Amino acid sequence: VQLQASGGGLVQPGGSLRLSCAATGRIFSIDTMTWYRQAPGKQRELVALIASGGTTNYADSVKGRFTISRDNAKNTMDLQMNSLKPEDTAVYYCNAALKVTLADSWRAYWGQGTQVTVSS
């Protein structure tokens, strides 16, 4: 199983980016999918999560600006980021709790990270 994050880049303050995460390989079921971020010198923090049924939760710092979504048929997750601020600069990681078989335990898988830089 692999998680592949994409969509990062350099954007000016107030701009937008859309991150994507695709889970590939032998997958039986995916539960919660989550975006985390880690800025230089800081701990990794939760940005947004979405349950398999669509329930979402956001960090206070991104509420009203970021929108998380997923496509269960394609095993993908997106993060639409609007009104970006310099403090959003970080490496963004996707995470998924999934099973590869019915009998498997739920395990957490991580993507490789994608850099988002907000700067003028």
Side-chain angles (χ1 to χ4, degrees):
V1 175
Q2 285 191 325
L3 265 63
Q4 181 72 39
S6 61
L10 173 64
V11 64
Q12 292 186 342
S16 298
L17 279 176
R18 189 175 184 88
L19 305 183
S20 296
C21 177
T24 59
R26 183 184 183 189
I27 297 170
F28 174 76
S29 180
I30 301 178
D31 191 6
T32 301
M33 300 185 79
T34 308
W35 286 101
Y36 289 84
R37 67 186 181 187
Q38 188 166 18
K42 295 187 177 181
Q43 289 189 331
R44 190 171 296 189
E45 63 175 355
L46 186 148
V47 177
L49 63 83
I50 184 166
S52 57
T55 301
T56 60
N57 198 10
Y58 297 90
D60 287 343
S61 59
V62 307
K63 281 181 182 176
R65 301 188 297 121
F66 291 10
T67 302
I68 190 171
S69 60
R70 65 189 283 173
D71 185 329
N72 291 334
K74 296 181 179 179
N75 293 333
T76 59
M77 168 180 65
D78 289 342
L79 185 69
Q80 177 66 42
M81 306 186 294
N82 299 328
S83 302
L84 282 161
K85 304 175 181 180
E87 51 263 44
D88 295 316
T89 295
V91 177
Y92 285 69
Y93 298 90
C94 59
N95 170 283
L98 62 87
K99 290 186 176 184
V100 296
T101 67
L102 176 61
D104 193 18
S105 301
W106 292 105
R107 301 173 192 264
Y109 290 79
W110 290 89
Q112 85 287 4
T114 184
Q115 176 71 47
V116 172
T117 302
V118 185
S119 175
S120 54

